[in-house]
Amino acid sequence: MVEKFDAIVVGAGPSGNSAAYTLAKAGLKVLQIERGEYSGSKNVQGAIMYADALEKIIPDFREDAPLERHVIEQRIWLLGDDSYIGTNYRSDSFNSEKPNRYTIIRSQFDRWFNEKVREAGALVICETTVTELLRDANGKVYGVRTDRVNGEVHADVVIMADGVNALLARRADFQKELPPENVALAVKEIHFIDPALIEQRFQVKDDEGVVIEIMGKVTGGMVGTAFLYTNKESLTIGIGCLISDFKEKGITPYKLLEDLKNHPVIKPLIEGGEVKEYAGHLIPEGGYKAVPQCYGDGWMVVGDAAHLNNAAHREGSNLAMTSGRFAAETVIELKKLGKAPVASNLALYKKKLDDSFVLKDLKKYRNLPGIMHMSPQFFGAYPDLLNGAAHDLFTVDGVDKKTKENKILKSFVKRRSVFGLMGDAFKLARAFR
Protein backbone atom coordinates (compact mmCIF):
# COMPACT_ATOMS: atom_id res chain seq x y z
CA MET A 1 0.00 0.00 0.00
CA VAL A 2 1.25 3.50 -0.86
CA GLU A 3 1.26 5.70 2.23
CA LYS A 4 -1.14 8.67 2.17
CA PHE A 5 -0.64 12.06 3.87
CA ASP A 6 -2.79 15.12 4.30
CA ALA A 7 0.03 17.18 2.79
CA ILE A 8 3.51 16.78 1.36
CA VAL A 9 5.92 19.70 1.61
CA VAL A 10 8.88 19.61 -0.77
CA GLY A 11 11.84 21.57 0.59
CA ALA A 12 13.01 22.58 4.06
CA GLY A 13 14.00 26.23 3.72
CA PRO A 14 12.08 29.05 5.46
CA SER A 15 8.94 28.66 3.33
CA GLY A 16 8.88 24.86 3.49
CA ASN A 17 9.52 24.74 7.22
CA SER A 18 6.83 27.36 7.83
CA ALA A 19 4.29 25.35 5.86
CA ALA A 20 5.21 21.99 7.41
CA TYR A 21 5.27 23.36 10.97
CA THR A 22 1.91 25.12 10.64
CA LEU A 23 0.29 22.00 9.18
CA ALA A 24 1.75 19.63 11.77
CA LYS A 25 0.89 21.95 14.65
CA ALA A 26 -2.74 21.80 13.51
CA GLY A 27 -2.67 18.01 13.77
CA LEU A 28 -2.47 17.14 10.08
CA LYS A 29 -0.47 14.19 8.80
CA VAL A 30 2.50 15.83 7.09
CA LEU A 31 5.48 14.56 5.14
CA GLN A 32 8.36 16.95 4.44
CA ILE A 33 11.01 15.92 1.92
CA GLU A 34 14.43 17.58 1.74
CA ARG A 35 17.17 16.70 -0.74
CA GLY A 36 20.02 17.87 1.53
CA GLU A 37 21.65 15.90 4.31
CA TYR A 38 19.63 18.05 6.70
CA SER A 39 17.64 21.25 6.51
CA GLY A 40 20.07 24.07 5.85
CA SER A 41 22.91 21.84 4.69
CA LYS A 42 22.93 23.65 1.35
CA ASN A 43 22.53 27.13 2.87
CA VAL A 44 25.83 28.28 4.35
CA GLN A 45 25.27 32.00 3.88
CA GLY A 46 24.25 34.60 6.41
CA ALA A 47 20.90 36.33 6.06
CA ILE A 48 18.37 38.66 7.67
CA MET A 49 15.45 37.18 9.58
CA TYR A 50 12.36 39.32 10.16
CA ALA A 51 10.83 38.66 13.55
CA ASP A 52 7.24 39.60 12.72
CA ALA A 53 6.88 36.81 10.14
CA LEU A 54 8.34 34.14 12.44
CA GLU A 55 6.40 35.32 15.50
CA LYS A 56 3.16 34.53 13.71
CA ILE A 57 4.36 30.93 13.37
CA ILE A 58 6.45 30.34 16.51
CA PRO A 59 5.65 33.15 18.99
CA ASP A 60 8.38 32.17 21.47
CA PHE A 61 11.14 31.56 18.90
CA ARG A 62 13.54 33.90 20.74
CA GLU A 63 13.88 31.40 23.58
CA ASP A 64 16.07 28.97 21.65
CA ALA A 65 16.47 30.05 18.01
CA PRO A 66 20.13 30.39 16.86
CA LEU A 67 20.05 34.15 16.33
CA GLU A 68 23.21 36.16 15.68
CA ARG A 69 22.74 39.91 16.28
CA HIS A 70 19.60 42.03 16.43
CA VAL A 71 19.81 44.89 13.94
CA ILE A 72 19.85 48.39 15.42
CA GLU A 73 21.24 50.23 12.41
CA GLN A 74 20.56 50.18 8.67
CA ARG A 75 23.06 51.83 6.32
CA ILE A 76 22.60 52.42 2.60
CA TRP A 77 25.77 53.23 0.70
CA LEU A 78 26.33 54.31 -2.89
CA LEU A 79 29.97 53.52 -3.70
CA GLY A 80 32.24 55.47 -6.02
CA ASP A 81 35.75 54.41 -6.99
CA ASP A 82 37.24 55.21 -3.59
CA SER A 83 34.38 56.76 -1.65
CA TYR A 84 30.74 56.43 -0.70
CA ILE A 85 27.75 58.63 -0.21
CA GLY A 86 24.86 57.33 1.79
CA THR A 87 22.46 57.44 4.66
CA ASN A 88 21.76 55.45 7.79
CA TYR A 89 19.12 54.97 10.44
CA ARG A 90 20.04 53.89 13.96
CA SER A 91 17.67 53.67 16.89
CA ASP A 92 18.01 52.49 20.46
CA SER A 93 14.35 51.48 20.28
CA PHE A 94 15.54 48.44 18.30
CA ASN A 95 17.14 47.29 21.58
CA SER A 96 13.68 46.34 22.77
CA GLU A 97 12.72 43.12 24.51
CA LYS A 98 11.56 41.81 21.15
CA PRO A 99 13.78 43.24 18.38
CA ASN A 100 12.43 43.52 14.85
CA ARG A 101 15.27 42.01 12.78
CA TYR A 102 18.15 39.60 13.34
CA THR A 103 21.14 38.42 11.38
CA ILE A 104 21.29 34.63 11.14
CA ILE A 105 23.45 31.86 9.70
CA ARG A 106 21.08 29.95 7.45
CA SER A 107 22.55 26.49 8.04
CA GLN A 108 22.02 26.84 11.79
CA PHE A 109 18.66 28.58 11.61
CA ASP A 110 17.12 26.23 9.04
CA ARG A 111 18.22 23.20 11.04
CA TRP A 112 16.68 24.63 14.23
CA PHE A 113 13.44 25.43 12.39
CA ASN A 114 13.26 21.92 10.98
CA GLU A 115 13.67 20.44 14.45
CA LYS A 116 10.58 22.41 15.41
CA VAL A 117 8.79 20.84 12.45
CA ARG A 118 9.69 17.36 13.73
CA GLU A 119 8.64 18.25 17.28
CA ALA A 120 5.28 19.40 15.93
CA GLY A 121 4.70 15.90 14.56
CA ALA A 122 5.68 16.02 10.88
CA LEU A 123 7.63 13.18 9.28
CA VAL A 124 10.81 14.66 7.78
CA ILE A 125 12.85 12.69 5.27
CA CYS A 126 16.21 14.09 4.13
CA GLU A 127 18.69 13.07 1.44
CA THR A 128 15.73 12.40 -0.83
CA THR A 129 14.96 14.06 -4.15
CA VAL A 130 11.44 14.47 -5.46
CA THR A 131 11.71 13.70 -9.16
CA GLU A 132 8.16 14.47 -10.27
CA LEU A 133 4.59 15.18 -9.25
CA LEU A 134 2.00 12.42 -9.56
CA ARG A 135 -1.10 13.49 -11.52
CA ASP A 136 -4.32 11.73 -12.41
CA ALA A 137 -6.02 11.67 -15.79
CA ASN A 138 -7.53 15.10 -15.15
CA GLY A 139 -4.19 16.62 -14.20
CA LYS A 140 -4.85 16.82 -10.45
CA VAL A 141 -1.76 16.33 -8.32
CA TYR A 142 -2.15 13.48 -5.84
CA GLY A 143 1.42 12.90 -4.65
CA VAL A 144 5.09 12.74 -5.57
CA ARG A 145 7.66 10.28 -6.84
CA THR A 146 11.10 10.29 -5.22
CA ASP A 147 14.46 8.78 -6.07
CA ARG A 148 14.05 6.13 -3.36
CA VAL A 149 13.05 2.51 -4.00
CA ASN A 150 9.25 2.33 -3.92
CA GLY A 151 9.42 6.10 -3.63
CA GLU A 152 5.84 6.94 -4.55
CA VAL A 153 3.93 8.86 -1.86
CA HIS A 154 0.36 10.16 -2.01
CA ALA A 155 -1.24 13.22 -0.42
CA ASP A 156 -4.30 15.42 -0.65
CA VAL A 157 -2.10 18.38 -1.54
CA VAL A 158 1.56 19.04 -2.41
CA ILE A 159 3.25 22.30 -1.38
CA MET A 160 6.34 23.03 -3.43
CA ALA A 161 9.05 24.97 -1.59
CA ASP A 162 11.95 23.76 -3.70
CA GLY A 163 13.64 27.10 -4.39
CA VAL A 164 13.98 29.60 -7.19
CA ASN A 165 14.52 27.01 -9.92
CA ALA A 166 11.09 25.52 -9.13
CA LEU A 167 12.07 22.29 -10.86
CA LEU A 168 8.91 20.39 -9.94
CA ALA A 169 6.58 23.13 -11.18
CA ARG A 170 8.58 23.47 -14.40
CA ARG A 171 8.61 19.72 -15.06
CA ALA A 172 4.84 19.71 -14.62
CA ASP A 173 4.50 22.71 -16.99
CA PHE A 174 3.06 24.85 -14.20
CA GLN A 175 5.89 27.35 -14.74
CA LYS A 176 8.17 28.33 -17.58
CA GLU A 177 11.95 28.46 -17.34
CA LEU A 178 13.21 31.57 -15.58
CA PRO A 179 14.45 34.24 -18.02
CA PRO A 180 17.97 35.40 -17.05
CA GLU A 181 16.79 38.98 -16.56
CA ASN A 182 14.46 37.80 -13.77
CA VAL A 183 17.02 36.05 -11.60
CA ALA A 184 20.20 37.23 -9.87
CA LEU A 185 23.26 35.25 -8.87
CA ALA A 186 24.66 36.32 -5.51
CA VAL A 187 28.00 35.16 -4.14
CA LYS A 188 28.70 35.40 -0.43
CA GLU A 189 31.47 34.79 2.06
CA ILE A 190 31.51 34.49 5.83
CA HIS A 191 34.58 36.05 7.45
CA PHE A 192 35.25 34.94 11.01
CA ILE A 193 36.61 37.81 13.07
CA ASP A 194 37.15 38.82 16.69
CA PRO A 195 33.80 40.04 18.12
CA ALA A 196 35.67 42.93 19.78
CA LEU A 197 36.71 44.17 16.34
CA ILE A 198 33.10 43.95 15.13
CA GLU A 199 31.94 46.04 18.09
CA GLN A 200 34.71 48.59 17.54
CA ARG A 201 34.32 48.97 13.78
CA PHE A 202 30.54 49.09 13.73
CA GLN A 203 30.09 50.89 17.07
CA VAL A 204 27.87 48.23 18.63
CA LYS A 205 27.86 46.32 21.90
CA ASP A 206 26.62 42.97 23.17
CA ASP A 207 24.34 41.44 20.50
CA GLU A 208 23.67 44.66 18.58
CA GLY A 209 24.18 44.49 14.83
CA VAL A 210 24.47 46.59 11.69
CA VAL A 211 23.29 45.92 8.14
CA ILE A 212 24.86 47.74 5.18
CA GLU A 213 23.14 47.61 1.78
CA ILE A 214 25.45 48.73 -1.04
CA MET A 215 24.99 49.93 -4.61
CA GLY A 216 27.24 51.69 -7.07
CA LYS A 217 30.48 51.13 -8.95
CA VAL A 218 31.16 47.73 -7.35
CA THR A 219 28.57 46.09 -9.62
CA GLY A 220 30.45 47.16 -12.73
CA GLY A 221 27.46 48.98 -14.18
CA MET A 222 25.28 45.87 -13.87
CA VAL A 223 21.92 45.73 -12.12
CA GLY A 224 22.72 44.52 -8.64
CA THR A 225 23.53 45.23 -5.02
CA ALA A 226 26.04 44.21 -2.38
CA PHE A 227 25.73 43.84 1.39
CA LEU A 228 27.63 43.47 4.64
CA TYR A 229 26.00 41.97 7.74
CA THR A 230 27.38 41.66 11.28
CA ASN A 231 27.08 38.30 13.04
CA LYS A 232 28.26 37.41 16.55
CA GLU A 233 31.71 36.20 15.53
CA SER A 234 31.72 36.82 11.80
CA LEU A 235 30.78 39.12 8.95
CA THR A 236 28.71 38.12 5.94
CA ILE A 237 29.70 39.93 2.75
CA GLY A 238 28.26 39.38 -0.69
CA ILE A 239 27.25 40.81 -4.03
CA GLY A 240 24.72 39.82 -6.66
CA CYS A 241 23.71 40.88 -10.17
CA LEU A 242 21.28 39.72 -12.82
CA ILE A 243 22.38 36.61 -14.69
CA SER A 244 21.59 38.36 -17.98
CA ASP A 245 24.10 41.09 -17.09
CA PHE A 246 26.79 38.61 -16.09
CA LYS A 247 26.34 36.96 -19.47
CA GLU A 248 26.40 40.23 -21.40
CA LYS A 249 29.34 41.81 -19.55
CA GLY A 250 31.45 38.67 -19.25
CA ILE A 251 32.33 39.52 -15.65
CA THR A 252 32.57 36.69 -13.12
CA PRO A 253 30.74 36.91 -9.77
CA TYR A 254 33.97 36.04 -7.96
CA LYS A 255 35.74 39.03 -9.56
CA LEU A 256 32.97 41.35 -8.35
CA LEU A 257 33.24 39.97 -4.83
CA GLU A 258 37.02 40.43 -4.78
CA ASP A 259 36.66 44.02 -6.00
CA LEU A 260 34.08 44.66 -3.28
CA LYS A 261 36.34 43.28 -0.55
CA ASN A 262 39.23 45.42 -1.77
CA HIS A 263 37.25 48.66 -2.05
CA PRO A 264 38.86 51.34 0.14
CA VAL A 265 35.64 51.81 2.11
CA ILE A 266 34.96 48.09 2.67
CA LYS A 267 38.45 46.68 3.18
CA PRO A 268 39.05 48.23 6.64
CA LEU A 269 35.75 46.77 7.91
CA ILE A 270 36.65 43.15 7.08
CA GLU A 271 40.40 43.34 7.67
CA GLY A 272 41.73 40.54 9.85
CA GLY A 273 38.86 38.19 9.07
CA GLU A 274 39.33 34.56 8.08
CA VAL A 275 37.17 33.27 5.23
CA LYS A 276 35.51 30.01 6.28
CA GLU A 277 32.56 29.72 3.93
CA TYR A 278 31.78 30.66 0.32
CA ALA A 279 28.50 30.10 -1.50
CA GLY A 280 26.47 31.09 -4.53
CA HIS A 281 22.73 31.58 -4.43
CA LEU A 282 20.06 32.34 -7.02
CA ILE A 283 17.53 35.03 -6.12
CA PRO A 284 14.23 35.75 -7.94
CA GLU A 285 14.29 39.40 -9.04
CA GLY A 286 11.42 39.63 -11.53
CA GLY A 287 9.01 41.16 -9.03
CA TYR A 288 5.24 41.24 -9.24
CA LYS A 289 5.00 40.69 -12.99
CA ALA A 290 7.12 37.53 -12.73
CA VAL A 291 5.02 35.84 -10.02
CA PRO A 292 3.64 32.67 -11.64
CA GLN A 293 0.41 30.80 -11.09
CA CYS A 294 0.90 29.71 -7.50
CA TYR A 295 -1.86 27.13 -7.05
CA GLY A 296 -3.82 24.52 -8.97
CA ASP A 297 -5.59 21.20 -8.52
CA GLY A 298 -3.82 19.62 -5.57
CA TRP A 299 -0.76 21.92 -5.48
CA MET A 300 0.65 25.25 -4.31
CA VAL A 301 4.06 26.91 -4.61
CA VAL A 302 5.62 29.10 -1.92
CA GLY A 303 8.69 31.22 -1.24
CA ASP A 304 11.37 31.55 -3.90
CA ALA A 305 9.63 28.88 -5.98
CA ALA A 306 6.77 31.39 -6.34
CA HIS A 307 9.26 34.23 -7.05
CA LEU A 308 8.24 36.02 -3.86
CA ASN A 309 11.11 38.44 -3.23
CA ASN A 310 10.99 42.19 -2.61
CA ALA A 311 14.10 43.46 -4.40
CA ALA A 312 13.36 47.11 -3.57
CA HIS A 313 13.74 46.49 0.17
CA ARG A 314 15.93 43.37 0.00
CA GLU A 315 13.28 41.32 1.79
CA GLY A 316 12.92 37.62 1.14
CA SER A 317 12.75 35.47 4.26
CA ASN A 318 9.63 37.23 5.57
CA LEU A 319 7.82 36.69 2.27
CA ALA A 320 8.94 33.06 2.26
CA MET A 321 7.76 32.31 5.79
CA THR A 322 4.49 34.17 5.32
CA SER A 323 3.67 32.40 2.05
CA GLY A 324 4.44 29.03 3.63
CA ARG A 325 2.12 29.84 6.53
CA PHE A 326 -0.63 31.03 4.19
CA ALA A 327 -0.44 27.83 2.13
CA ALA A 328 -0.68 25.71 5.27
CA GLU A 329 -3.56 27.75 6.69
CA THR A 330 -5.41 27.32 3.41
CA VAL A 331 -5.13 23.53 3.66
CA ILE A 332 -6.19 23.59 7.32
CA GLU A 333 -9.24 25.76 6.63
CA LEU A 334 -10.36 23.61 3.71
CA LYS A 335 -9.91 20.48 5.81
CA LYS A 336 -12.15 21.89 8.54
CA LEU A 337 -14.81 22.78 5.98
CA GLY A 338 -14.58 19.39 4.30
CA LYS A 339 -13.64 20.94 0.97
CA ALA A 340 -11.35 19.27 -1.55
CA PRO A 341 -7.98 20.90 -2.36
CA VAL A 342 -8.90 21.68 -5.96
CA ALA A 343 -7.92 24.87 -7.76
CA SER A 344 -11.16 26.70 -7.06
CA ASN A 345 -10.74 26.15 -3.33
CA LEU A 346 -6.95 26.63 -3.19
CA ALA A 347 -7.53 30.07 -4.72
CA LEU A 348 -7.92 31.08 -1.07
CA TYR A 349 -4.11 30.91 -0.85
CA LYS A 350 -3.74 33.50 -3.61
CA LYS A 351 -6.32 35.71 -1.90
CA LYS A 352 -4.30 35.60 1.31
CA LEU A 353 -1.22 36.69 -0.62
CA ASP A 354 -3.15 39.44 -2.40
CA ASP A 355 -4.56 40.81 0.85
CA SER A 356 -1.20 40.85 2.66
CA PHE A 357 2.01 42.86 2.43
CA VAL A 358 3.49 40.07 0.28
CA LEU A 359 1.79 40.94 -3.01
CA LYS A 360 0.75 44.46 -2.02
CA ASP A 361 4.42 45.44 -1.75
CA LEU A 362 5.42 43.59 -4.90
CA LYS A 363 2.59 45.27 -6.77
CA LYS A 364 3.69 48.69 -5.51
CA TYR A 365 7.12 48.14 -7.08
CA ARG A 366 5.88 46.25 -10.12
CA ASN A 367 7.68 48.57 -12.56
CA LEU A 368 11.01 48.56 -10.72
CA PRO A 369 12.64 45.46 -12.25
CA GLY A 370 11.98 46.49 -15.85
CA ILE A 371 13.08 50.08 -15.28
CA MET A 372 16.30 49.08 -13.51
CA HIS A 373 17.18 46.53 -16.17
CA MET A 374 16.83 49.16 -18.90
CA SER A 375 18.61 51.90 -16.92
CA PRO A 376 22.28 51.03 -16.29
CA GLN A 377 22.97 54.70 -15.48
CA PHE A 378 21.56 54.14 -11.99
CA PHE A 379 24.39 51.68 -11.32
CA GLY A 380 27.19 53.51 -13.14
CA ALA A 381 26.74 57.17 -14.00
CA TYR A 382 24.86 58.32 -10.92
CA PRO A 383 27.21 56.75 -8.34
CA ASP A 384 30.03 58.63 -10.11
CA LEU A 385 28.12 61.89 -10.27
CA LEU A 386 26.84 61.86 -6.68
CA ASN A 387 30.20 60.91 -5.16
CA GLY A 388 31.89 63.55 -7.31
CA ALA A 389 29.37 66.18 -6.24
CA ALA A 390 29.90 65.35 -2.56
CA HIS A 391 33.67 65.51 -3.01
CA ASP A 392 33.47 68.96 -4.60
CA LEU A 393 31.07 70.35 -2.00
CA PHE A 394 33.10 69.15 0.98
CA THR A 395 36.47 70.19 -0.42
CA VAL A 396 37.41 73.63 0.94
CA ASP A 397 39.76 75.08 -1.67
CA GLY A 398 38.91 78.77 -2.00
CA VAL A 399 36.36 78.22 -4.77
CA ASP A 400 33.00 79.81 -3.99
CA LYS A 401 29.97 77.59 -3.52
CA LYS A 402 28.02 79.02 -6.45
CA THR A 403 30.84 78.08 -8.82
CA LYS A 404 30.93 74.60 -7.30
CA GLU A 405 27.17 74.18 -7.72
CA ASN A 406 27.38 75.25 -11.37
CA LYS A 407 30.21 72.81 -11.94
CA ILE A 408 28.18 69.98 -10.40
CA LEU A 409 25.09 70.84 -12.44
CA LYS A 410 27.13 70.92 -15.65
CA SER A 411 28.64 67.52 -14.85
CA PHE A 412 25.16 66.01 -14.50
CA VAL A 413 23.93 67.60 -17.74
CA LYS A 414 27.06 66.57 -19.62
CA ARG A 415 26.77 62.97 -18.46
CA ARG A 416 23.01 62.54 -18.84
CA SER A 417 21.65 65.64 -20.73
CA VAL A 418 18.67 67.69 -19.54
CA PHE A 419 16.16 65.34 -21.13
CA GLY A 420 18.04 62.34 -19.77
CA LEU A 421 17.86 63.72 -16.24
CA MET A 422 14.15 64.42 -16.60
CA GLY A 423 13.56 60.94 -17.99
CA ASP A 424 15.50 59.32 -15.14
CA ALA A 425 13.49 61.27 -12.56
CA PHE A 426 10.28 60.09 -14.22
CA LYS A 427 11.51 56.49 -14.23
CA LEU A 428 12.31 56.60 -10.53
CA ALA A 429 8.92 58.08 -9.78
CA ARG A 430 7.25 55.24 -11.70
CA ALA A 431 9.41 52.62 -10.02
CA PHE A 432 8.77 53.72 -6.44
CA ARG A 433 5.34 55.33 -6.56
Side-chain angles (χ1 to χ4, degrees):
M1 294 289 292
V2 176
E3 191 163 5
K4 176 79 177 291
F5 291 83
D6 292 318
I8 295 173
V9 178
V10 182
S15 61
N17 283 333
S18 297
Y21 178 86
T22 304
L23 289 164
K25 200 71 174 174
L28 274 66
K29 186 178 180 183
V30 183
L31 171 65
Q32 185 180 32
I33 304 175
E34 162 62 26
R35 65 188 177 94
E37 181 182 355
Y38 56 85
S39 176
S41 63
K42 297 184 179 298
N43 295 316
V44 302
Q45 72 269 20
I48 303 296
M49 193 280 294
Y50 301 89
D52 178 74
L54 186 56
E55 274 181 326
K56 289 181 170 63
I57 302 165
I58 306 177
D60 59 351
F61 75 88
R62 292 180 179 85
E63 294 182 5
D64 59 353
L67 307 172
E68 291 294 307
R69 293 178 180 269
H70 64 274
V71 180
I72 66 163
E73 182 176 353
Q74 173 81 51
R75 304 178 188 175
I76 301 175
W77 289 356
L78 191 63
L79 296 190
D81 290 321
D82 59 1
S83 60
Y84 81 90
I85 184 172
T87 186
N88 70 296
Y89 178 74
R90 183 181 181 117
S91 174
D92 192 56
S93 66
F94 288 138
N95 280 317
S96 63
E97 182 180 347
K98 295 183 176 182
N100 180 255
R101 292 185 297 165
Y102 297 86
T103 56
I104 59 171
I105 305 297
R106 278 287 304 274
S107 58
Q108 300 171 12
F109 179 80
D110 289 2
R111 197 168 191 171
W112 165 84
F113 203 165
N114 197 242
E115 282 300 316
K116 295 296 183 182
V117 173
R118 296 171 189 265
E119 291 172 10
L123 173 62
V124 180
I125 300 178
C126 295
E127 296 184 280
T128 302
T129 300
V130 175
T131 57
E132 64 177 321
L133 298 173
L134 300 175
R135 303 167 71 183
D136 63 21
N138 296 317
K140 183 182 183 301
V141 172
Y142 64 88
V144 300
R145 181 172 287 112
T146 73
D147 59 356
R148 291 188 172 223
V149 177
N150 299 322
E152 187 173 305
V153 192
H154 295 177
D156 293 332
V157 65
V158 175
I159 298 174
M160 291 171 274
D162 51 341
V164 62
N165 284 316
L167 294 177
L168 285 177
R170 282 167 51 193
R171 288 170 185 162
D173 290 328
F174 296 153
Q175 290 187 27
K176 296 180 180 179
E177 186 172 354
L178 268 176
E181 63 270 19
N182 282 352
V183 60
L185 172 60
V187 287
K188 313 177 182 184
E189 288 180 350
I190 292 184
H191 293 231
F192 284 82
I193 191 169
D194 186 345
L197 288 177
I198 295 176
E199 293 179 4
Q200 176 188 359
R201 292 173 183 175
F202 295 89
Q203 299 179 329
V204 294
K205 63 183 185 300
D206 302 326
D207 289 333
E208 295 176 343
V210 173
V211 168
I212 307 176
E213 302 288 355
I214 304 163
M215 295 176 62
K217 295 297 290 295
V218 288
T219 63
M222 298 187 291
V223 178
T225 58
F227 53 86
L228 181 61
Y229 303 152
T230 57
N231 305 314
K232 285 182 179 178
E233 300 179 346
S234 64
L235 299 172
T236 299
I237 186 170
I239 189 168
C241 295
L242 295 179
I243 288 179
S244 56
D245 283 354
F246 277 127
K247 183 178 180 181
E248 180 182 335
K249 297 280 188 177
I251 302 174
T252 64
Y254 181 77
K255 172 69 164 55
L256 282 186
L257 183 57
E258 287 301 305
D259 289 346
L260 173 65
K261 292 190 297 181
N262 286 300
H263 191 280
V265 171
I266 303 299
K267 190 174 182 178
L269 296 176
I270 64 174
E271 192 171 12
E274 181 182 0
V275 180
K276 290 289 185 72
E277 297 176 353
Y278 174 87
H281 180 59
L282 294 177
I283 304 171
E285 296 281 354
Y288 183 78
K289 296 179 181 179
V291 175
Q293 178 72 14
C294 56
Y295 67 93
D297 286 334
W299 62 272
M300 288 177 283
V301 288
V302 296
D304 281 0
H307 305 186
L308 299 176
N309 179 61
N310 186 338
H313 291 270
R314 315 310 305 164
E315 295 178 14
S317 65
N318 53 336
L319 280 73
M321 290 187 287
T322 301
S323 64
R325 175 171 64 87
F326 283 166
E329 289 174 349
T330 298
V331 175
I332 294 166
E333 290 172 31
L334 294 181
K335 192 84 172 175
K336 288 180 178 178
L337 295 172
K339 294 184 177 181
V342 295
S344 58
N345 293 329
L346 291 177
L348 176 61
Y349 167 55
K350 177 60 162 52
K351 186 178 187 305
K352 288 176 180 287
L353 292 174
D354 285 331
D355 292 343
S356 75
F357 77 94
V358 175
L359 286 184
K360 283 183 178 180
D361 284 352
L362 291 187
K363 189 173 183 179
K364 179 183 187 303
Y365 300 111
R366 62 191 178 279
N367 294 317
L368 181 63
I371 288 173
M372 292 295 105
H373 185 63
M374 299 301 294
S375 308
Q377 64 269 22
F378 293 125
F379 301 88
Y382 283 110
D384 271 344
L385 291 167
L386 291 170
N387 276 275
H391 183 81
D392 286 341
L393 283 175
F394 294 120
T395 298
V396 180
D397 53 7
V399 178
D400 66 276
K401 299 302 185 282
K402 185 65 176 178
T403 299
K404 286 179 179 286
E405 291 172 2
N406 287 335
K407 178 187 174 184
I408 291 169
L409 179 59
K410 286 179 181 179
S411 69
F412 275 73
V413 173
K414 181 178 179 180
R415 191 78 175 265
R416 290 298 301 148
S417 81
V418 173
F419 289 109
L421 292 170
M422 293 172 61
D424 292 341
F426 178 73
K427 289 176 181 177
L428 284 177
R430 284 189 61 222
F432 289 94
R433 67 181 182 183

